[in-house]
Amino acid sequence: MALLTFPPSAFCIWFLLICSLCTFCFCKQNQDNVLCKANERLALIQFKNNLIDRTNRLSSWSGNDCCSWSGVVCDDGTGHVLEIRLRGPDDGLKGRCHGSYDTDDELEEASKHMLGGNISSSLIKLVQLRYLDLSCNDFKLIPVPAFIGSLKNLTYLNMSKSQFGGEVPQNLGNLSMLRVLALQDDMVFSNLHSNNLRWLRNLTQLQHLNMVGINLTEASDWLQIVEEIPKSLPNLCNLTTLDFNSNYFFGNVSELLERFCECESPKMELLAMRGNDLIGRLPRKLGRLKNLSSIDLAYNNLTGTIPDSVGSLSLLVTLQINVNKFEGSIPDTIGGLSSLVLLDLSFNKLNGSLPESIGQLGKLSFLTLHHNFLTGIVTENHFAKLTALGTLWIGDNILVFKLNANNWVPPFQLSVLRIGSCSLGPNFPSWVQSQTMLNELDLANANISDIIPHWFWTTFSTVTYLNISNNNIQGKLGDVSFLVQYAIVDLSSNHFNGLLPRNLNKPNLRFLDLSHNNISGSLGQFLCSEIQEPQSLEVLNMGYNNMSGVIPDCWMNWDYLVILNLEHNKVSGIIPSSLGKISSLKSLHMCNNKLSGNLPVSVLNSKSLVNVELAENGLTGRIPASIKGNSSSLKLLSLRSNHLEGKIPDEICRLTSIQILDLSLNDLFGNIPTCFTNFSVISGRLSPSPTVLYKIDYFNDVPQSVSLWIKGQMALYSTILYLVTTIDLSNNNLFGPIPNELGTLRGLRYLNLSRNDLSSSIPETIGEMGILETLDLSMNRLNGKIPIRLSRLASISLLNVSYNNLIGRIPTSTQLQSMSEYNFIGNALCGAPLSSCQQTSVDAEDTNSKSDESDGFDWILVICAVGGLIVGFWIIIATLFVSKQWRTAYYRYLDTTWINIISFFSLFTTWWAHRIIEAR
């Protein structure tokens, strides 16, 4: 048997193979036992010790192997820490951060899982750290640590929504390897800010930038910085995300957007600049950004049109350009957005018709086009394939719906249907009955003239917002059971009739407007029957109906009521004092009823009430003198046309916030208080603020309207109500002089003191009331002249001083001479606008004598002047005749004066002759 032999080369190969296998096995065994670096483990422990961890999220951070700790990722070969993932509340709490929770309890539960405290600089020792995520935590507005700019291997940094404050450290620009930078702040409070963005130039690898909510108002060169980035970022076209939402930016973004569209193969997926102050236009080649999945440019000042190329963005999921100034029509190419889920073009200036191609967007679930100028016909074709549609809000346009009312069944089931201010009538749209899943229904001002269908209340039992106001809908209000689920109900300005429902014990109801109908019934049964627990109602408007009965005293259960409007009904009885004790009540409107009794002092002492309208009732007694005025918010107090008597108490001046005070058409007497200077806005010490208004609609910004008697007529004020300042004391029995102090009310626009028994003269100080528009002093016993200072009233549009005892000429000014002569009759006045001088029968003789004195030659002045001349002359002449010494001195003075004059002229002549000779 021969021995098997190997050549030397084969032996070497086998030897090397065996050694390699042994080395591999040895290394593999060691690799399985690799632990994190000791110094890095200590750094993480120090980092943990500085954190606040209320739910012990970092309980696994113990032992020698930090690579096994929760949220820590190491390199398998070296043991270096590569990643720290400590994002706040996640899957178990719906993956949302601050401000996104439905209830306070949910937010509190989430807060327990958020890390807080301080971030230790020990993280600098993690020299290989590439990924750091501390988002969705709560660090109580501590600054973003500047040392993070030293972690130069970072490629991912996310500190969004973790309640950091102060300035963003500029040394983040040292992170040249960074691909993702997310610093999103709270979009409401903007705790973070940055004075410049020049450090962004160094982030040459950046692909995702999120600085939403950071205040960048001081970074005025932001647009220039962003445009300069490609000078050092050749892969601009590889940028996938640009997120600058709510940064308070301003500037023109047209060029920046055009540059993205110039890329041959742009990678941009998300373009977000919502909530800034940007101007500019969308690029015509916007369709070249083929990878875009989201465009959010809402709440800016962008102009121009929507480019036709937008239809090429087949991957676009959301398009939000609402609240801008876009014009023109919606391009028909919009039907090419096959992936579109959300489309919001509301609050622009778009016109033209609604393209039928929009009905091809099969994935569209959210469509809002409201508050534009769209016109034309809407048919079934506009909804042909919208099977996924859940929100349809296209109201506040001029669209006309012409659908097959008999057999058309929409392909969608909506949760929101808001098509108010579009034309749907005259019949009630029957296709709406198919929408059984609605939460919001708005058919207001839709030209519907019909009887409300019998199926209406049962079909929409799940609706929480219902608005069918401003139509001609008829029907009986019936039982209030239809309000069980509703939170907001507006049935105003229709033809509902019948008795008022028996009770309002509906725990979900927050807003109810039944005004301008023909509803009757007892107010007490409606408001208080069977109510035993606090109500959630905030706005109750039942004005302009036929309700009767007394106002019940059950307001202790209405803790959330903000507006109560019962005006123009037949409500009688007294005003219960408990009304003034509702801590949330801001507006109380009960004018034009049959109320009687005294005015409760609790109403005037309320700390919450801003508007109180009790005009045109039968209130009696005196205005309460026990007004405290402490922290009063009252701006409007109207007690016009009642039977109040007695003096106007000085204590009323404790209501320092008053802007509108109407006490006219009562039986008040005595002097006008001099303390109206305490009114801070009327006196001009403070500027008026819009807080006098309150929204009537929870979804639309509809302000309250208030009727005021101004310029001799009733006027309705709403949006500019907060600018009105007026004092109306007319039609009373006030006497005495007009206080000079009224002239210091530099913030007063309307002053009416007519039809009283005021005497004395018109104060000169009234001429200093710079913004006064109306001054009515007619039908009093004022005397003297019209102060010439009244010609300084540049804003005056109505001055009425008729039927007084005034005399003299009317001051000259453009405003006064342009008024009607009827504003000056019944006096002894002359001058334009009167066609002739007038006189009163009482003062005719006196007026004639004064007129002679003023218009004739002033003989007294002549006599005094001549007499003075004669006396002065003869005193000097007589003195010279009588005294020789005075006569000699007088002549010597004349001789000396004459010699001096001759000498002066002689010397001047000699000097001038020498000058002529020298010149030759």
Side-chain angles (χ1 to χ4, degrees):
M1 179 177 177
L3 293 176
L4 185 63
T5 60
F6 293 93
S9 58
F11 179 80
C12 292
I13 292 174
W14 279 104
F15 178 77
L16 291 175
L17 180 59
I18 293 171
C19 290
S20 298
L21 289 172
C22 292
T23 302
F24 175 78
C25 294
F26 178 77
C27 292
K28 179 65 177 175
Q29 183 178 2
N30 282 346
Q31 180 176 326
D32 292 338
N33 295 325
V34 166
L35 301 175
C36 69
K37 302 295 183 183
N39 62 329
E40 295 187 3
R41 181 178 67 252
L42 293 176
L44 289 174
I45 291 297
Q46 188 174 350
F47 169 65
K48 173 190 174 183
N49 291 338
N50 281 271
L51 295 175
I52 297 175
D53 180 12
R54 290 196 287 170
T55 56
N56 208 16
R57 286 174 55 191
L58 305 183
S59 58
S60 64
W61 285 37
S62 60
N64 292 327
D65 188 9
C66 65
C67 296
S68 62
W69 295 353
S70 174
V72 178
V73 178
C74 297
D75 185 290
D76 290 339
T78 65
H80 283 295
V81 175
L82 299 181
E83 300 180 5
I84 297 179
R85 298 173 176 265
L86 294 177
R87 177 179 173 87
D90 211 327
D91 299 335
L93 292 166
K94 304 182 183 179
R96 299 179 297 186
C97 294
H98 307 265
S100 300
Y101 298 97
D102 299 327
T103 65
D104 291 339
D105 291 339
E106 193 176 84
L107 177 59
E108 176 61 26
E109 180 62 25
S111 299
K112 295 177 182 178
H113 295 264
M114 297 174 185
L115 298 175
N118 294 304
I119 301 175
S120 173
S121 60
S122 64
L123 293 181
I124 293 178
K125 298 178 181 179
L126 309 180
V127 293
Q128 296 297 323
L129 191 65
R130 299 175 187 174
Y131 189 107
L132 178 59
D133 186 353
L134 298 175
S135 61
C136 293
N137 287 292
D138 188 0
F139 288 99
K140 305 296 184 186
L141 303 184
I142 67 171
V144 175
F147 73 81
I148 290 180
S150 301
L151 302 174
K152 296 186 177 180
N153 285 314
L154 276 181
T155 60
Y156 181 99
L157 176 60
N158 188 353
M159 308 187 79
S160 293
K161 296 187 177 182
S162 284
Q163 300 296 299
F164 288 103
E167 185 171 4
V168 177
Q170 297 184 24
N171 65 352
L172 293 183
N174 296 334
L175 305 177
S176 58
M177 303 292 292
L178 210 57
R179 295 182 181 179
V180 173
L181 175 59
L183 299 173
Q184 181 173 347
D185 194 16
D186 189 316
M187 290 189 288
V188 177
F189 299 106
S190 294
N191 304 311
L192 285 171
H193 68 274
S194 181
N195 294 334
N196 70 74
L197 297 176
R198 288 188 288 272
W199 51 273
L200 280 176
R201 295 169 175 165
N202 301 326
L203 306 183
T204 58
Q205 304 297 319
L206 200 62
Q207 295 180 359
H208 177 101
L209 177 61
N210 183 349
M211 299 182 69
V212 173
I214 296 178
N215 189 338
L216 300 175
T217 51
E218 298 298 323
S220 57
D221 58 347
W222 75 272
L223 188 55
Q224 177 186 354
I225 299 300
V226 173
E227 290 180 347
E228 287 180 358
I229 289 177
K231 292 178 182 180
S232 60
L233 183 58
N235 61 341
L236 166 68
C237 299
N238 292 326
L239 191 65
T240 60
T241 302
L242 183 63
D243 194 338
F244 281 110
N245 280 345
S246 302
N247 288 117
Y248 308 97
F249 276 151
F250 58 89
N252 193 318
V253 295
S254 297
E255 184 177 349
L256 176 63
L257 297 179
E258 290 282 357
R259 294 179 68 177
F260 284 117
C261 297
E262 292 171 1
C263 296
E264 184 175 349
S265 298
K267 300 295 191 299
M268 180 69 70
E269 297 177 5
L270 184 148
L271 176 61
M273 294 185 177
R274 163 187 288 257
N276 290 290
D277 194 17
L278 302 175
I279 61 174
R281 297 169 174 261
L282 292 179
R284 290 185 301 105
K285 299 179 180 179
L286 183 66
R288 296 196 62 184
L289 304 179
K290 300 287 187 180
N291 293 305
L292 270 178
S293 63
S294 179
I295 297 177
D296 188 354
L297 300 174
Y299 295 92
N300 282 290
N301 290 304
L302 302 177
T303 55
T305 61
I306 302 173
D308 288 339
S309 64
V310 71
S312 302
L313 303 176
S314 59
L315 299 180
L316 197 65
V317 176
T318 63
L319 175 57
Q320 296 172 271
I321 56 174
N322 50 300
V323 195
N324 277 286
K325 297 178 181 179
F326 288 107
E327 299 176 330
S329 59
I330 301 173
D332 191 61
T333 58
I334 203 164
L337 301 177
S338 56
S339 301
L340 199 64
V341 173
L342 186 153
L343 176 61
D344 192 345
L345 308 180
S346 60
F347 287 102
N348 278 288
K349 299 179 180 180
L350 300 172
N351 53 38
S353 59
L354 186 66
E356 284 192 358
S357 64
I358 209 166
Q360 303 301 310
L361 303 178
K363 295 183 179 180
L364 192 65
S365 67
F366 188 94
L367 173 61
T368 55
L369 307 174
H370 57 93
H371 289 90
N372 278 287
F373 302 104
L374 300 175
T375 58
I377 307 298
V378 177
T379 68
E380 296 94 328
N381 294 335
H382 289 90
F383 309 111
K385 298 182 180 179
L386 302 186
T387 56
L389 196 63
T391 294
L392 176 61
W393 191 350
I394 58 177
D396 294 285
N397 283 289
I398 317 173
L399 297 169
V400 178
F401 279 67
K402 288 190 176 180
L403 305 169
N404 192 329
N406 294 325
N407 53 26
W408 183 65
V409 177
F412 44 70
Q413 272 294 325
L414 301 174
S415 60
V416 175
L417 174 59
R418 296 178 63 86
I419 49 178
S421 297
C422 294
S423 182
L424 302 173
N427 297 325
F428 205 95
S430 60
W431 60 268
V432 176
Q433 185 179 5
S434 66
Q435 304 304 299
T436 58
M437 305 299 292
L438 285 177
N439 291 320
E440 299 177 20
L441 175 60
D442 181 1
L443 304 178
N445 193 26
N447 294 325
I448 300 175
S449 299
D450 200 356
I451 298 176
I452 196 162
H454 62 86
W455 47 260
F456 187 84
W457 305 118
T458 55
T459 300
F460 302 132
S461 60
T462 60
V463 168
T464 58
Y465 171 81
L466 173 65
N467 188 354
I468 56 174
S469 63
N470 292 283
N471 285 290
N472 289 309
I473 300 175
Q474 304 174 37
K476 292 187 179 295
L477 199 57
D479 187 72
V480 81
S481 60
F482 69 85
L483 297 175
V484 171
Q485 298 296 329
Y486 296 164
I488 300 168
V489 178
D490 191 347
L491 309 181
S492 62
S493 300
N494 279 290
H495 296 293
F496 288 104
N497 55 34
L499 295 176
L500 203 62
R502 184 169 180 80
N503 68 73
L504 195 58
N505 187 13
K506 305 300 171 185
N508 298 321
L509 194 61
R510 292 185 295 141
F511 177 101
L512 178 60
D513 192 343
L514 301 176
S515 64
H516 295 272
N517 281 287
N518 193 27
I519 302 169
S520 58
S522 172
L523 189 63
Q525 289 183 345
F526 175 69
L527 292 176
C528 296
S529 177
E530 301 176 8
I531 291 182
Q532 299 176 353
E533 57 185 22
Q535 300 298 294
S536 58
L537 195 67
E538 299 174 27
V539 175
L540 176 59
N541 186 1
M542 307 190 73
Y544 292 88
N545 280 288
N546 289 315
M547 293 183 297
S548 59
V550 300
I551 301 176
D553 193 5
C554 62
W555 301 103
M556 65 290 298
N557 290 320
W558 299 77
D559 294 338
Y560 299 99
L561 194 63
V562 176
I563 298 176
L564 175 60
N565 191 338
L566 302 175
E567 63 187 358
H568 289 266
N569 279 284
K570 299 177 182 177
V571 180
S572 59
I574 65 171
I575 301 173
S577 60
S578 59
L579 262 178
K581 299 177 182 179
I582 304 176
S583 60
S584 58
L585 190 63
K586 295 185 180 297
S587 249
L588 178 62
H589 304 267
M590 293 186 174
C591 60
N592 205 323
N593 277 285
K594 298 180 179 180
L595 300 174
S596 59
N598 295 332
L599 174 65
V601 70
S602 63
V603 171
L604 300 182
N605 282 334
S606 168
K607 294 183 179 181
S608 62
L609 274 170
V610 175
N611 298 340
V612 173
E613 282 194 282
L614 300 174
E616 299 180 59
N617 279 287
L619 299 178
T620 57
R622 295 172 176 262
I623 298 175
S626 53
I627 299 174
K628 298 177 182 178
N630 297 333
S631 304
S632 172
S633 301
L634 197 61
K635 294 177 181 288
L636 186 156
L637 176 61
S638 177
L639 302 174
R640 184 185 72 252
S641 190
N642 279 282
H643 302 298
L644 298 174
E645 57 186 12
K647 295 183 178 181
I648 302 175
D650 286 343
E651 288 80 3
I652 202 170
C653 299
R654 294 175 179 172
L655 305 173
T656 56
S657 297
I658 282 288
Q659 292 180 216
I660 299 171
L661 177 63
D662 190 347
L663 304 179
S664 63
L665 287 161
N666 279 284
D667 298 318
L668 302 172
F669 61 83
N671 294 316
I672 296 175
T674 61
C675 60
F676 286 163
T677 52
N678 289 357
F679 299 149
S680 55
V681 174
I682 289 178
S683 65
R685 295 193 302 274
L686 290 179
S687 299
S689 64
T691 54
V692 74
L693 296 177
Y694 290 95
K695 288 170 63 175
I696 291 294
D697 190 308
Y698 274 79
F699 287 86
N700 294 317
D701 194 12
V702 180
Q704 271 185 265
S705 297
V706 173
S707 298
L708 300 176
W709 190 270
I710 290 178
K711 297 184 180 181
Q713 60 185 0
M714 188 66 70
L716 195 65
Y717 288 84
S718 56
T719 55
I720 64 168
L721 176 62
Y722 76 98
L723 295 174
V724 177
T725 50
T726 178
I727 294 178
D728 191 345
L729 307 179
S730 63
N731 287 276
N732 280 287
N733 300 308
L734 302 174
F735 53 75
I738 299 175
N740 286 324
E741 288 80 359
L742 289 186
T744 65
L745 303 180
R746 306 297 169 82
L748 190 63
R749 294 182 182 273
Y750 309 103
L751 176 61
N752 191 348
L753 304 177
S754 65
R755 298 175 185 269
N756 279 287
D757 198 28
L758 301 173
S759 57
S760 190
S761 59
I762 300 174
E764 295 269 350
T765 55
I766 289 181
E768 306 300 324
M769 301 172 72
I771 67 171
L772 192 66
E773 298 179 25
T774 296
L775 175 61
D776 193 344
L777 304 176
S778 62
M779 297 189 180
N780 280 285
R781 293 193 300 114
L782 301 174
N783 53 50
K785 296 183 178 181
I786 299 177
I788 194 169
R789 286 189 185 182
L790 264 63
S791 62
R792 301 179 183 178
L793 299 175
S795 299
I796 197 79
S797 60
L798 174 63
L799 171 64
N800 191 346
V801 294
S802 62
Y803 299 102
N804 279 283
N805 297 319
L806 301 173
I807 62 173
R809 287 195 169 273
I810 299 172
T812 302
S813 76
T814 303
Q815 288 77 15
L816 298 184
Q817 269 62 57
S818 64
M819 295 179 187
S820 170
E821 65 178 336
Y822 294 103
N823 295 344
F824 300 93
I825 63 174
N827 292 284
L829 295 171
C830 284
L834 293 172
S835 56
S836 62
C837 292
Q838 299 187 349
Q839 63 184 29
T840 62
S841 58
V842 177
D843 299 320
E845 183 177 348
D846 185 55
T847 301
N848 286 334
S849 65
K850 291 182 179 179
S851 178
D852 290 342
E853 292 174 2
S854 60
D855 295 339
F857 200 74
D858 197 338
W859 289 106
I860 295 177
L861 178 62
V862 173
I863 293 171
C864 290
V866 172
L869 178 64
I870 293 172
V871 172
F873 175 79
W874 281 109
I875 287 176
I876 297 173
I877 297 300
T879 302
L880 294 177
F881 272 114
V882 173
S883 175
K884 180 179 179 181
Q885 183 178 358
W886 282 31
R887 188 165 62 250
T888 302
Y890 174 69
Y891 289 133
R892 184 179 296 117
Y893 171 75
L894 292 178
D895 290 339
T896 302
T897 302
W898 178 250
I899 291 171
N900 288 338
I901 292 173
I902 296 298
S903 299
F904 172 77
F905 277 104
S906 176
L907 290 172
F908 179 77
T909 304
T910 303
W911 175 81
W912 184 252
H914 281 294
R915 290 297 303 269
I916 294 175
I917 293 172
E918 290 175 357
R920 293 178 178 177

